[in-house]
Amino acid sequence: MLSSQWLVVFKWPFVGFCCFVLLTETSGASQSNDPVDARLVEGGSRCSGRLEMKYEGTWKTLTFKVTGSTSATKIKIAQVACRQMGCGSAISITHNVNHVNQRPAWEIEMMCDGTERTLRECRDTNSRRRVGRTFETESSQEVICSDSVRFGNGNSVCSGSLNVKSDNGWAPVCEEGFDSEAQKVVCKEFGCGPPTVSKDSSTPEGVPALLKKFQCKGNEARLQDCASSTHKCKQAPAITCQGSYDVRLVGGETCEGILEGKLEGEWRPLAGSLALWKAEHFNNVCEKLGCGSVLSTLKHNRYGRVWELSCWESHTNSSFCKTWMPQFSHKSMTVTCAENVRLVGGLDRCSGKLEIKSGPSWASVCQQSFTTENAQVTCAELGCGFLYSYHSKHYSNAEQATSLVFKCRGKEKHLLDCPTDTRSAMEEDCGEYRTEINCRERGEEPHMDIHTLDQDFGYRSEVVKGQRFAISCSTGSLYKPFSMRLRYEVDSDQAVEWIQPTVGKTAMFFFPAAEDAHQGYYNCDYNYEFKPDFFSKQQLLYVTVTERHDVRLVDGHSRCAGRLEVEHQKKWSSVSYQHSWSLKEAAIVCRQLSCGAAVSTSKVDNSPEVLSAWRFYSDCDGSERALMECGVVKKWSSSSTIEVVCTDILHKPNITIISGPSFTNSEGGQMISMGHSITINCSMEPQYPGGHFSVKINSLNQTHSLTQPAVNHSAVFTFTVTEGNYSCVYHNFLFNHNFSSESLSLLMNITDYIGVMLDDEDSSPCSGKLLVDVQGGLKLLSAESIVWDLKHASVVCRQLGCGSAVSTNNVTLPTKEKMARFYSDCDGSESALLDCGTTVEWFSSSYVQVNCTGQQGAPSMK
Ligand SMILES: *[C@@H]1O[C@H](CO)[C@@H](O)[C@H](O)[C@H]1NC(C)=O
Ligand SMILES: *[C@@H]1O[C@H](CO)[C@@H](O)[C@H](O)[C@H]1NC(C)=O
Ligand SMILES: *[C@@H]1O[C@H](CO)[C@@H](O)[C@H](O)[C@H]1NC(C)=O
Ligand SMILES: *[C@@H]1O[C@H](CO)[C@@H](O)[C@H](O)[C@H]1NC(C)=O
Ligand SMILES: *[C@@H]1O[C@H](CO)[C@@H](O)[C@H](O)[C@H]1NC(C)=O
Ligand SMILES: *[C@@H]1O[C@H](CO)[C@@H](O)[C@H](O)[C@H]1NC(C)=O
Ligand SMILES: *[C@@H]1O[C@H](CO)[C@@H](O)[C@H](O)[C@H]1NC(C)=O
Ligand SMILES: *[C@@H]1O[C@H](CO)[C@@H](O)[C@H](O)[C@H]1NC(C)=O
Ligand SMILES: *[C@@H]1O[C@H](CO)[C@@H](O)[C@H](O)[C@H]1NC(C)=O
Ligand SMILES: *[C@@H]1O[C@H](CO)[C@@H](O)[C@H](O)[C@H]1NC(C)=O
């Protein structure tokens, strides 16, 4: 099911409304998990008959593997079945052999002990079920339960006066309380349709008696579930539930065969007082099957189970007699339906020469005075959709043409329902020309076009961002389409939909400004007034949204400043400075080029040189997205040009850490060891000479900055790092304005990880194995580091607050492992080892130990 919602999106001055509908598909019908998986059928009551079980969604007769099953074990099965169906206790179970036909069955070897609530709870003695569809049997189990509710008189399936089981046998129910809710429950319990309101349901004669009175809410599954009490009351009248019937014709051609009906899921031939059936009944059957009207019926004898129809009243407008009863009968009926209109000799049943039933044979139709409406009704009657064309065709040996002249209005259901004239004597002979009709299941796909203001883009299904555009759908269909539908496929299961009435045979869908979201597939179809929910074939169009590239700024060392050029008719030229040009227009240029706002615009005089240029004519208010959306250009000769300067003329500078012990943590932040200095390089791509850089430091509490002139488009800053966000800002004075541009910011996070550690098993913090940082992790310092000496060890001792170095020595290991090799540029006075040296990974089997003088104090923080 499609649920749709209408929203008015915008209004357009020259065509009405455009609307969209959001389609959401809610699929996935929930499969109700029917707890009832056993039933008794064909016994005239819910509580007696052939035992069936449902497995894998299919009801089939149940048979038991009889080996070893005694009547005592079988009655226990019946007991469970009766209990499961709320039918009291089991009276009998008999093995029945049906000599007429075999039927699909479930064969189960089961063992019940009689106390189970459902048959499924019984033990499956062999856990081997013959569940194949091929398994057919003549045998079945007929179960009779003590029952609890049934229809009396007539024992019909879906009507009668209700009886319930009481202590003294079957008894009617109280009229009081037996209202429409109670009837609803009963009809549902019997598997019939809802109760019908019958006028002649007079209360039966009789003296009040002690009867059961029910009080139902209407949602109970069974009458026994309703509240009940015993009262002295009058008995309730008979009720009639609608049968849940269905019909089909079997054993012949599509529209011919034995008439069968379905009740409670079971198909049987329909039999009985068929003499009471009228032609309308059969016509209804044929029509329901899409087979036209009834041609003939044939009664024949064929013994078997049937649904016997009791057509006591003449139900002139109901398809079938209301009361169906299970019976054995030897009567059934073959029904042959026939269309009385057909198309022959064409590609399929929906095209060809038109013929109508004329007594027992068929007659063709003259083309003279045959109308579009006639042809339209014919196509619809044949279930062939829409008329595509009709014409006359020559047949050298055409049969007799009908003398009828049809005058359909177009909405009749059948051609023969249309008013007719009889052909006058003069027109009688239409020679050998006959009417041919071609119907189409659906209307042919419409034609789609894209319309823009700019002729250049016509038919390219390409629109420029910000541009107005329209999509038109038009059809060459014979009839006027009622409405056109345009859909934009957002993704495979979502679409935006617009519906527009047609003007003539066309509809226009307008879009005020193309956006990226407009790019994609559009499809269009249409419907007719006489069948509004049936749409034609779809036409598909892909719309590309392109950026506008018809404006640029040149010779300003930036794409955001310089001389204005406009492309028109595939030619780039400068624009001459004229009266209409102002900062307002310049602002549009800057916006279109994504260059921010306009800073200035000025006239540049190049005289005496005169150049070919564009003269710009403006109708802009300054808020437009593109210059050519609100202006036009024409060829001009001029010595003046326009300069436009936008705010974003500068590139973004780069910020890079060129030295200092920094580690990139998992969140992308830079971790800086406490107390270290760091060197940052601010750089710019060469764009304008001069200028200066500043480093902006945004720490939790304050903002401050350091400034240096730009040398060769870069500047280097060295400072002791504090926690905060760092960015480089480039400043320059250009085009008589101060411009600046800021880099991305770098988050510096301070860590007490200093990249150096002495590790000693005796937990003396100022002596032990030396570990240094290599690629973000601490590793032993390899003694193969040639430069390593006491001078370096003293830097370590100082850094760790352990005084000065006493000794450093080698320790040899039996195997090589991953360590750090040290590279130095230290003079020994540094406060941190990694400020003057660096490390690389190194496989080594000896490491360095360091012994400092002091006990560990606070490491240096400066
Ligand atoms: C049957 O006929 C009755 C009275 O003529 C009418 O009220 C009812 O709607 C009809 N039912 C159908 C299904 O046509
Ligand atoms: C900064 O360091 C603190 C503490 O070490 C940590 O919780 C935080 O996630 C870090 N932030 C970033 C962006 O690295
Ligand atoms: C800074 O970066 C620029 C551009 O990458 C480079 O040319 C320059 O040499 C760097 N300066 C230093 C000191 O690394
Ligand atoms: C800025 O950094 C990017 C990425 O690291 C690099 O590709 C570019 O060359 C750098 N530019 C300058 C001027 O250093
Ligand atoms: C930030 O300011 C608050 C009070 O204004 C102060 O208590 C705190 O120490 C400051 N933090 C830093 C990192 O300077
Ligand atoms: C700037 O770069 C040029 C060439 O790239 C070089 O000759 C010059 O020495 C540099 N100036 C400075 C101050 O680094
Ligand atoms: C750095 O910037 C981020 C976002 O811009 C902010 O959440 C964070 O608090 C800043 N850190 C400091 C230390 O200013
Ligand atoms: C540009 O900035 C400099 C210093 O930052 C200032 O002295 C000067 O007045 C500014 N010029 C203009 C036009 O704003
Ligand atoms: C440490 O060992 C290496 C070789 O493993 C040797 O070259 C170096 O001289 C030794 N250093 C000391 C201080 O013993
Ligand atoms: C470190 O020096 C102390 C005395 O200054 C000495 O007792 C100790 O043995 C030395 N340790 C090492 C590993 O050299």
Side-chain angles (χ1 to χ4, degrees):
M1 289 292 280
L2 294 173
S3 64
S4 50
Q5 190 183 10
W6 285 73
L7 292 169
V8 176
V9 171
F10 62 81
K11 203 174 178 178
W12 191 263
F14 37 104
V15 169
F17 294 96
C18 197
C19 311
F20 76 80
V21 177
L22 208 61
L23 298 175
T24 44
E25 192 134 1
T26 48
S27 62
S30 62
Q31 206 103 49
S32 71
N33 201 359
D34 191 359
V36 183
D37 58 2
R39 66 178 183 189
L40 298 171
V41 298
E42 297 177 14
S45 130
R46 207 172 52 74
C47 292
S48 68
R50 176 160 54 82
L51 181 57
E52 288 194 339
M53 268 190 97
K54 187 156 90 174
Y55 274 113
E56 294 162 357
T58 313
W59 288 102
K60 289 184 186 176
T61 293
L62 197 66
T63 64
F64 307 119
K65 197 97 178 154
V66 275
T67 29
S69 57
T70 63
S71 50
T73 60
K74 281 172 72 181
I75 195 78
K76 283 177 181 162
I77 291 170
Q79 243 155 30
V80 177
C82 291
R83 177 175 306 119
Q84 172 165 7
M85 284 169 282
C87 288
S89 52
I91 291 169
S92 71
I93 178 165
T94 32
H95 182 239
N96 195 26
V97 179
N98 157 21
H99 294 291
V100 182
N101 53 1
Q102 296 203 326
R103 57 169 69 85
W106 300 120
E107 188 183 63
I108 294 180
E109 292 184 40
M110 71 162 79
M111 180 72 81
C112 306
D113 59 31
T115 58
E116 295 87 351
R117 281 179 300 117
T118 66
L119 288 178
R120 280 190 185 244
E121 288 173 20
C122 294
R123 268 180 307 129
D124 199 346
T125 49
N126 202 348
S127 70
R128 186 161 49 85
R129 273 171 205 159
R130 299 252 303 266
V131 292
R133 281 192 188 89
T134 50
F135 181 59
E136 301 228 331
T137 180
E138 295 178 338
S139 68
S140 61
Q141 305 296 324
E142 306 281 333
V143 174
I144 298 172
C145 308
S146 67
D147 238 355
S148 65
V149 29
R150 72 180 187 201
F151 283 127
N153 59 356
N155 203 21
S156 117
V157 175
C158 289
S159 71
S161 59
L162 191 75
N163 288 291
V164 295
K165 189 90 182 170
S166 70
D167 300 337
N168 343 319
W170 292 98
V173 298
C174 277
E175 181 184 22
E176 196 190 329
F178 199 65
D179 55 6
S180 59
E181 300 310 322
Q183 292 181 22
K184 225 192 272 178
V185 174
V186 170
C187 288
K188 190 165 57 182
E189 180 170 0
F190 281 98
C192 304
T196 57
V197 186
S198 65
K199 290 187 207 83
D200 55 350
S201 55
S202 54
T203 309
E205 306 267 306
V207 287
L210 264 181
L211 299 175
K212 268 220 162 133
K213 177 189 158 187
F214 290 93
Q215 211 79 52
C216 302
K217 295 194 196 85
N219 59 358
E220 295 90 346
R222 299 183 171 145
L223 190 63
Q224 302 293 10
D225 296 342
C226 301
S228 66
S229 50
T230 307
H231 282 272
K232 194 160 191 163
C233 60
K234 290 189 82 179
Q235 100 178 61
I239 65 163
T240 304
C241 314
Q242 290 169 29
S244 54
Y245 33 60
D246 221 338
V247 289
R248 68 180 182 192
L249 298 174
V250 296
E253 299 287 302
T254 325
C255 290
E256 179 195 284
I258 294 165
L259 178 61
E260 287 195 348
K262 186 163 90 172
L263 183 64
E264 295 173 346
E266 191 180 4
W267 290 101
R268 293 186 184 184
L270 294 179
S273 331
L274 291 177
L276 289 172
W277 273 41
K278 298 196 163 137
E280 296 100 84
H281 295 125
F282 294 110
N283 268 342
N284 283 337
V285 171
C286 292
E287 197 167 280
K288 188 181 158 83
L289 299 173
C291 288
S293 50
V294 68
L295 185 64
S296 66
T297 59
L298 180 69
K299 270 189 207 167
H300 44 82
N301 293 340
R302 185 176 158 279
Y303 189 77
R305 288 176 191 274
V306 298
W307 294 119
E308 185 169 282
L309 310 173
S310 318
C311 301
W312 304 122
E313 311 105 310
S314 74
H315 301 283
T316 47
N317 68 352
S318 81
S319 313
F320 317 106
C321 305
K322 278 191 179 135
T323 315
W324 295 18
M325 287 184 296
Q327 267 307 341
F328 275 97
S329 166
H330 40 261
K331 292 189 200 85
S332 60
M333 179 164 291
T334 293
V335 174
T336 306
C337 306
E339 301 157 30
N340 43 32
V341 171
R342 67 184 187 190
L343 298 174
V344 296
L347 283 174
D348 53 27
R349 55 179 285 275
C350 291
S351 64
K353 182 172 55 154
L354 173 63
E355 292 188 348
I356 61 166
K357 196 92 199 174
S358 171
S361 57
W362 294 87
S364 48
V365 179
C366 286
Q367 222 275 300
Q368 292 154 322
S369 61
F370 196 78
T371 65
T372 303
E373 287 74 19
N374 296 345
Q376 191 177 315
V377 169
T378 306
C379 288
E381 170 168 11
L382 294 174
C384 289
F386 303 108
L387 173 60
Y388 183 67
S389 67
Y390 71 98
H391 55 272
S392 85
K393 191 175 170 189
H394 181 260
Y395 287 91
S396 46
N397 51 355
E399 59 286 272
Q400 184 61 44
T402 179
S403 60
L404 294 177
V405 174
F406 295 98
K407 297 193 162 165
C408 300
R409 288 190 195 86
K411 289 185 185 172
E412 293 87 350
K413 268 177 91 176
H414 305 286
L415 184 62
L416 294 178
D417 293 347
C418 296
T420 50
D421 266 358
T422 305
R423 197 171 293 278
S424 77
M426 239 177 74
E427 291 173 312
E428 204 166 331
D429 187 13
C430 55
E432 295 180 316
Y433 286 88
R434 298 289 185 269
T435 303
E436 283 242 341
I437 298 180
N438 288 311
C439 311
R440 288 286 157 94
E441 296 279 349
R442 318 184 80 89
E444 288 300 300
E445 62 270 2
H447 181 73
M448 280 172 95
D449 266 326
I450 192 147
H451 305 263
T452 61
L453 294 178
D454 190 342
Q455 292 302 310
D456 281 358
F457 288 107
Y459 303 106
R460 274 171 60 193
S461 71
E462 202 173 84
V463 293
V464 170
K465 216 169 178 175
Q467 193 183 37
R468 294 171 191 219
F469 70 101
I471 294 174
S472 69
C473 297
S474 53
T475 166
S477 158
L478 275 175
Y479 321 113
K480 184 184 176 308
F482 179 58
S483 58
M484 291 276 184
R485 178 170 72 173
L486 183 73
R487 285 208 255 191
Y488 171 67
E489 291 165 16
V490 179
D491 52 43
S492 55
D493 40 44
Q494 220 191 3
V496 182
E497 183 176 297
W498 298 269
I499 291 180
Q500 188 106 291
T502 55
V503 177
K505 292 178 180 177
T506 300
M508 287 281 240
F509 298 89
F510 288 91
F511 297 83
E515 291 163 24
D516 287 336
H518 286 132
Q519 177 159 318
Y521 282 104
Y522 290 78
N523 62 57
C524 181
D525 53 15
Y526 56 91
N527 61 359
Y528 293 109
E529 197 173 4
F530 50 84
K531 216 166 180 190
D533 51 354
F534 194 80
F535 281 84
S536 70
K537 290 181 189 166
Q538 293 180 343
Q539 182 65 269
L540 198 65
L541 179 77
Y542 189 82
V543 172
T544 311
V545 177
T546 59
E547 295 281 350
R548 228 181 219 280
H549 294 297
D550 56 357
V551 158
R552 67 187 181 195
L553 298 172
V554 297
D555 298 341
H557 304 289
S558 165
R559 46 177 292 277
C560 294
R563 177 163 45 82
L564 174 67
E565 288 193 349
V566 163
E567 186 194 34
H568 182 58
Q569 292 170 347
K570 301 194 165 32
K571 184 169 176 274
W572 285 100
S573 284
S574 306
V575 179
S576 80
Y577 193 92
Q578 300 289 338
H579 318 284
S580 67
W581 193 263
S582 70
L583 204 58
K584 198 170 69 176
E585 281 74 23
I588 301 168
V589 170
C590 291
R591 185 177 305 123
Q592 182 173 350
L593 295 172
S594 305
C595 285
V599 171
S600 67
T601 185
S602 53
K603 178 180 179 175
V604 178
D605 203 342
N606 308 308
S607 54
E609 199 186 351
V610 173
L611 293 165
S612 157
W614 296 122
R615 181 172 176 177
F616 182 76
Y617 299 84
S618 173
D619 187 25
C620 303
D621 71 8
S623 66
E624 290 84 357
R625 297 169 45 148
L627 187 65
M628 298 306 285
E629 262 178 46
C630 57
V632 291
V633 292
K634 290 200 170 150
K635 257 202 180 125
W636 200 249
S637 293
S638 173
S639 61
S640 76
T641 54
I642 294 172
E643 184 190 75
V644 172
V645 179
C646 310
T647 48
D648 300 351
I649 65 170
L650 293 174
H651 296 145
K652 253 190 200 316
N654 270 9
I655 182 167
T656 44
I657 297 171
I658 53 176
S659 77
S662 74
F663 319 97
T664 304
N665 73 4
S666 59
E667 282 136 63
Q670 295 290 320
M671 304 297 290
I672 304 292
S673 299
M674 253 155 61
H676 288 275
S677 63
I678 190 163
T679 304
I680 278 174
N681 186 2
C682 292
S683 62
M684 264 304 264
E685 273 168 49
Q687 197 179 5
Y688 299 101
H692 61 272
F693 282 102
S694 60
V695 172
K696 206 165 92 186
I697 304 159
N698 248 318
S699 53
L700 282 174
N701 280 357
Q702 74 255 25
T703 301
H704 65 277
S705 61
L706 312 159
T707 303
Q708 284 195 39
V711 177
N712 276 356
H713 312 287
S714 66
V716 170
F717 296 83
T718 301
F719 48 88
T720 305
V721 82
T722 54
E723 192 164 317
N725 290 317
Y726 287 67
S727 60
C728 288
V729 186
Y730 176 72
H731 309 265
N732 208 345
F733 186 72
L734 303 157
F735 303 102
N736 291 313
H737 291 272
N738 278 329
F739 288 92
S740 66
S741 169
E742 188 173 342
S743 71
L744 297 172
S745 75
L746 203 62
L747 174 65
M748 301 281 192
N749 216 346
I750 301 296
T751 172
D752 50 14
Y753 176 75
I754 57 172
V756 175
M757 187 183 153
L758 288 177
D759 181 22
D760 182 62
E761 280 86 35
D762 305 333
S763 66
S764 149
C766 285
S767 67
K769 306 171 190 169
L770 174 61
L771 294 111
V772 295
D773 179 83
V774 59
Q775 291 177 359
L778 287 172
K779 293 247 153 51
L780 289 170
L781 187 76
S782 166
E784 287 169 36
S785 305
I786 297 156
V787 294
W788 191 259
D789 59 8
L790 204 61
K791 178 181 79 181
H792 288 97
S794 65
V795 177
V796 171
C797 294
R798 187 177 312 120
Q799 183 173 6
L800 294 172
C802 288
S804 56
V806 176
S807 62
T808 176
N809 55 300
N810 282 357
V811 179
T812 306
L813 291 173
T815 56
K816 287 195 178 197
E817 59 180 70
K818 217 184 251 179
M819 297 187 190
R821 181 171 171 184
F822 188 74
Y823 295 80
S824 170
D825 188 28
C826 305
D827 66 10
S829 65
E830 291 84 358
S831 56
L833 187 65
L834 293 175
D835 272 359
C836 59
T838 189
T839 57
V840 296
E841 274 191 355
W842 198 257
F843 278 94
S844 175
S845 56
S846 64
Y847 63 87
V848 165
Q849 262 195 338
V850 172
N851 203 352
C852 307
T853 53
Q855 292 300 301
Q856 197 188 27
S860 94
M861 298 282 282
K862 287 268 138 56

